[in-house]
Structures are given as structure tokens and as C-alpha cells.
Amino acid sequence: METKKYLIETFGCQMNIHDSEKIAGMLRNLGYEETQDKFNADIIVFNTCCIRESAELKIMAKIGDIKAIKKQNKNLIVVVCGCMTQQKGMPENLKKKFPFINIIMGTHNLEELENYINKFNATHKSFSDVWEKEKEIKEQTNVYRTSKYNAWVNIMYGCNNFCTYCIVPYVRGRERSRKVEDIKEEVKNLVASKKYKTITLLGQNVNSYGLDFKDGKTNFITLLKELSTLEGDFKIKFMTSHPKDFSFELIDYIASNNKISKSIHLPVQSGSNAILKSMNRHYTIEHYKELVDRIYSKIPNATITTDIIVGFPGETDEDFISTCNLLEYCNYSGVFGFVYSKRKGTPAEKFENQVPINVKRERITKLFDIQHKIVKKLSDQLVGKEIEVLIEDKVKNFYIGKTEAGKTIKIKDEDLQVGEFYKVRINKALTNDLVGEIIKC
Ligand code: 5AD
Ligand code: SF4
């Protein structure tokens, strides 16, 4: 008998990419193999994201495309999961719009997928099961990892922050941390496999890790200390941090520990204090700049990336100029810029002074223009410097490496080991890539 095939369509952030690795693990457990061809699939899983309206519209269009395929292949199972389905009224809406969907489930019951598929196969009745509230964390062991040298590891789920623009706390629930022992065991096995050179710890606000245990001793720094006792040649990255909880102590700890990556993602969202207040972010630009100053002064070779929203309700030209000025101040090595989009049920949806779409578009274009120039300047400044690089591939007679900050670097050399770290001198900065040579000891 031919093996059944699965296809997973993933939308959204790293958290979702990793959830899809868990979904793949469950599908493989049931005997499915991967296909990229939707016409050849026996099951298609849409792992959705609702953080921005644009993502949601794209997902709806993609699900709509399945209608024709389902007509040809009546046995095709269609599953929709992920945070989009957690929104009030969404399961009903999906059922009405796309009656061909067989299973609708949410983020809190992802681990039930195997049971749900078995249930559907036994009854051939479509159903929806979205839990309103989060339950205790269920550990999942059979993750099917798709990234080559980086392994994602959840350290916590949910968010308590309620930024006024953001739907995440409503669809992913309150903060729940995984136990230190469970995380350590997972990381230990990943490192021992010798396949993974970076371990990226995931959470909506990793800086508040462990606080829900209320034991007065577990926190993000104690977790990092525990993980860095593990033997092996690997780096620990983490995302996402919140400036209100990103402490000076953490910066000093990152500086002191060479197992921790010096590439830091610190979303600022806006350069204007008035907008930050209205976003409910609980820090000022002055405090944020202090954090940035300390990162650059204490951590040699540190790089910082950020998230920015333009066109938040009430954002004036002056507010936007403050954001542009902040880009110059922080010398970000990367900016994830987003146009504000209204999310149902969030406070900002009802704010007055919504910014017209043409203004939002102008601002995002300007933001990217400024950032592009900063990235070029930073790349030029790297010429002559020595940095650590992970060799990820060989193409013709060039090795392709990645810097800690994720920049691609080409190296012409005879015999390097793919998957190993090397010290490299940067010789040239091209528009997107760097060119370097190995420093021979
Ligand atoms: N509109 C635009 N961007 C948003 N983000 C979160 N919610 C919204 C929204 N309603 C952005 C933030 C966050 C990133 C993951 O997505 O910048 O840090
Ligand atoms: Fe959303 Fe704010 Fe929580 Fe980040 S910290 S997930 S932006 S509510």
C-alpha cells in the first residue's frame, strides 16, 4: 500500500514554525510522509496566525484554493489549527465559508491532533474543537525538526502583557513556563546529537520565564545558567524579549557567557514616548536607549534587531520622525517593520485617530529606506574585523557561512567542515553578503 502524504502550510512567526515541527512529528507517528504537492496530499494542515490582518487574508485565500482539490480528492483531510481559530466566532465563520474543512482546532489542544485524526478516520464526521482556556503544558517528544543547524525550543507559552495593538494574549492565553528539567533534557539531547549548533529559546516574553512558578528563585538568567552548563559546541539564542523586563543584569550575564549569542532581538515598536504609552509598553525611549548603550558598551560585537509598528493610531509625523531617529541611534542590524493593523477585541481597534493607509505605506517605505542604509553602513564597518562564523553549506568552490547576526558570508577555502564554527576575517562587504577568509591558527 502506498504511504499516505502530508502537507503543512505554516503562517506567522518562529513559534508557529516550531509548532509545525510538532505537527509533522504527530503526522509521521501516524505513518504519513511529507509532500510539497497539494494535489498529492492525503492530509493538509493549515497552521495559522492572526497577529496581523494581512496574514489572515492570505490564509483565507489559501484555504479557499483547496475547494477545487477537495472536489477531485474526496478522501483529502483538511485541518485548520493555530491562533487564527482561537478568535471569537472564527470556527463558525470558517465552517460557513469553507464547509469542506474536516477538523478545526486551536492552539491549546495542538497535542490532540493525532487523536483528532483517528477520530475523524473512525467517524468521517467533520468537527471543531477549540478550547477557550489553556491547560497544563503537555510535553511532546516526537518533534520532526526541519531546520538544519538551529533547533527551536519552547521555554514558555502565552503572554501577560496586553500591548493595546496585540491579539496574542487573547489567543495564546496567560504565561506558562516549561519546567527547567524538561527544557534542559531537550537541549541536552539536541546538543548531544551534534546536529544543532544554535538552540533558540522561544517565548512571547522570555524575560519573564519562570516567574509563574512563584518560587522566588527560577528566572530567565537561572535558566540560561543551567543550560550553559551543558557540554558541547553550541550557542544559545532567544526570542522575544520585552524592554520593560530586559535587565542590566541580563546584559552583563550575556557579556560574561560565551555560550550565549551576542545577537539580541529587542522589539521597541515605536520611538515616541506618547505612542509607547498608548501601546501599553511600560518603558520610555530614554530607558530603551540606556539598554542599547549598555549592550554596546558591555558586549563586544553585539548586534541588535527590533520590531517596529508604523501607523499606530494617533502616530503623528513627529512621532514617526522620533522612530526614524531611533533607528539611527540604535544602529540596528535588522528591523522587522509592520504597518499597524486593527485586531478584533484589542483596545487599539477602538482608538480614534486611525492613520490613513497611504500615510502608513509612506512611513513603512521610509523606515525601510533608512534601515537599508544603516545595514550597508554596518556591513562596511565589519571589513577588517574578526568574527565567528558557522559554515552551513558549500556551493562550487565557496563555503557559505552565517554570522551570529544571521548575515551570509562567502569564504573561499580548501577544506572546511560544514556545520562547524570558524574564526573569519571579513575582507569585503557586498550589498547583501560579506566575503571573508578563515583565520588559520
Ligand atoms: N499590527 C501590526 N503589527 C503588529 N504586531 C503585533 N500586533 C500587530 C498589529 N496589530 C507586530 C509587533 C510584534 C510583532 C511580532 O508583530 O511588532 O513585535
Ligand atoms: Fe503581543 Fe505585547 Fe505580548 Fe509581545 S509582549 S506578544 S506584542 S502583547
Side-chain angles (χ1 to χ4, degrees):
M1 204 172 89
E2 220 184 298
T3 319
K4 292 178 293 176
K5 301 275 191 312
Y6 73 85
L7 187 150
I8 306 172
E9 292 268 15
T10 308
F11 303 85
C13 59
Q14 282 76 12
M15 201 85 70
N16 263 24
I17 295 173
H18 185 42
D19 278 350
S20 287
E21 294 180 331
K22 295 180 184 176
I23 293 168
M26 289 187 269
L27 294 172
R28 299 177 87 85
N29 237 12
L30 291 174
Y32 287 91
E33 268 176 13
E34 190 177 7
T35 177
Q36 297 299 332
D37 176 9
K38 56 188 174 191
F39 296 97
N40 193 21
D42 299 282
I43 184 164
I44 300 181
V45 180
F46 289 90
N47 184 13
T48 65
C49 167
C50 61
I51 199 152
R52 282 172 294 276
E53 193 187 14
S54 53
E56 219 174 282
L57 294 174
K58 205 155 94 192
I59 296 164
M60 291 295 191
K62 283 258 184 181
I63 300 177
D65 287 347
I66 300 300
K67 191 176 170 183
I69 302 174
K70 186 86 182 184
K71 264 195 189 145
Q72 283 174 25
N73 177 7
K74 296 257 183 303
N75 294 325
L76 171 68
I77 303 176
V78 180
V79 182
V80 182
C81 63
C83 68
M84 192 178 97
T85 64
Q86 288 285 154
Q87 296 173 97
K88 268 212 172 81
M90 184 54 85
E92 295 72 26
N93 189 8
L94 282 170
K95 265 189 264 175
K96 217 155 89 201
K97 247 181 149 155
F98 310 112
F100 55 84
I101 300 175
N102 303 108
I103 303 172
I104 300 175
M105 56 192 291
T107 52
H108 303 317
N109 54 347
L110 186 70
E111 291 78 10
E112 299 297 323
L113 180 64
E114 267 181 82
N115 293 337
Y116 289 173
I117 294 170
N118 287 334
K119 180 177 155 186
F120 177 76
N121 280 333
T123 61
H124 291 281
K125 281 209 171 80
S126 298
F127 61 92
S128 151
D129 194 7
V130 178
W131 300 352
E132 230 175 82
K133 274 219 151 297
E134 58 274 16
K135 295 242 166 87
E136 249 183 46
I137 296 171
K138 221 173 170 186
E139 287 296 324
Q140 197 188 330
T141 45
N142 55 342
V143 177
Y144 181 70
R145 296 185 184 273
T146 45
S147 46
K148 224 169 161 189
Y149 298 108
N150 174 66
W152 311 104
V153 173
N154 289 114
I155 62 166
M156 60 194 298
Y157 303 92
C159 179
N160 290 356
N161 289 307
F162 291 94
C163 302
T164 53
Y165 50 81
C166 186
I167 199 163
V168 169
Y170 305 91
V171 290
R172 292 215 175 248
R174 294 296 71 70
E175 286 175 2
R176 287 100 65 206
S177 302
R178 273 180 80 196
K179 291 196 196 101
V180 176
E181 310 87 82
D182 291 338
I183 299 170
K184 196 171 173 189
E185 185 62 21
E186 183 175 358
V187 175
K188 192 175 104 190
N189 291 334
L190 290 167
V191 173
S193 76
K194 296 206 170 7
K195 271 174 39 197
Y196 303 104
K197 295 292 167 181
T198 9
I199 305 293
T200 305
L201 309 178
L202 294 175
Q204 306 293 347
N205 174 11
V206 292
N207 314 119
S208 56
Y209 170 78
L211 303 186
D212 51 317
F213 297 148
K214 297 193 174 74
D215 61 4
K217 52 178 197 221
T218 312
N219 60 42
F220 187 50
I221 298 183
T222 60
L223 175 71
L224 289 177
K225 280 186 182 156
E226 213 34 66
L227 297 180
S228 49
T229 59
L230 292 168
E231 296 275 320
D233 197 12
F234 69 100
K235 295 266 180 218
I236 301 171
K237 288 191 170 190
F238 49 85
M239 63 193 316
T240 289
S241 290
H242 194 307
K244 80 175 163 65
D245 300 315
F246 198 91
S247 63
F248 284 179
E249 193 193 349
L250 176 60
I251 297 173
D252 297 352
Y253 183 67
I254 297 171
S256 72
N257 185 335
N258 63 10
K259 278 224 162 83
I260 301 183
S261 163
K262 311 303 178 212
S263 161
I264 296 167
H265 186 58
L266 197 57
V268 68
Q269 311 299 355
S270 167
S272 148
N273 278 333
I275 296 296
L276 288 177
K277 190 150 195 277
S278 176
M279 286 176 162
N280 195 31
R281 291 289 289 176
H282 293 283
Y283 54 85
T284 61
I285 280 307
E286 290 72 29
H287 176 66
Y288 187 89
K289 283 179 171 174
E290 265 187 86
L291 291 173
V292 168
D293 291 346
R294 192 166 178 115
I295 291 172
Y296 284 137
S297 69
K298 294 269 179 168
I299 311 176
N301 292 334
T303 54
I304 309 177
T305 52
T306 202
D307 291 352
I308 285 183
I309 298 177
V310 302
F312 185 76
E315 185 187 69
T316 61
D317 284 342
E318 289 71 33
D319 293 322
F320 177 64
I321 290 168
S322 304
T323 302
C324 297
N325 292 341
L326 189 77
L327 295 195
E328 306 277 2
Y329 186 92
C330 296
N331 274 317
Y332 291 118
S333 65
V335 167
F336 299 89
F338 307 105
V339 162
Y340 168 74
S341 74
K342 278 188 187 180
R343 300 287 64 208
K344 228 181 173 169
T346 60
E349 183 204 2
K350 304 251 157 43
F351 286 1
E352 284 173 10
N353 303 324
Q354 297 282 336
V355 175
I357 185 67
N358 58 324
V359 177
K360 288 183 189 169
R361 287 203 183 117
E362 270 168 34
R363 288 183 185 165
I364 197 86
T365 307
K366 178 118 194 266
L367 188 94
F368 287 141
D369 277 353
I370 296 172
Q371 183 52 29
H372 190 72
K373 289 188 186 112
I374 295 171
V375 170
K376 178 74 182 89
K377 179 187 78 184
L378 291 179
S379 293
D380 289 342
Q381 285 172 356
L382 279 176
V383 175
K385 289 228 165 107
E386 295 175 4
I387 55 167
E388 209 172 24
V389 167
L390 174 68
I391 302 298
E392 293 197 344
D393 205 356
K394 188 176 185 192
V395 180
K396 294 184 186 155
N397 52 351
F398 275 103
Y399 284 94
I400 310 293
K402 275 268 161 69
T403 68
E404 257 184 41
K407 249 193 164 334
T408 303
I409 176 157
K410 282 186 183 166
I411 299 156
K412 203 169 183 179
D413 205 291
E414 300 295 285
D415 70 296
L416 303 181
Q417 200 72 37
V418 174
E420 293 296 330
F421 289 107
Y422 288 89
K423 265 234 146 104
V424 171
R425 185 177 300 106
I426 315 281
N427 291 336
K428 209 165 150 187
L430 307 173
T431 319
N432 294 314
D433 308 338
L434 301 166
V435 181
E437 64 180 312
I438 301 292
I439 301 169
K440 303 248 158 73
C441 311

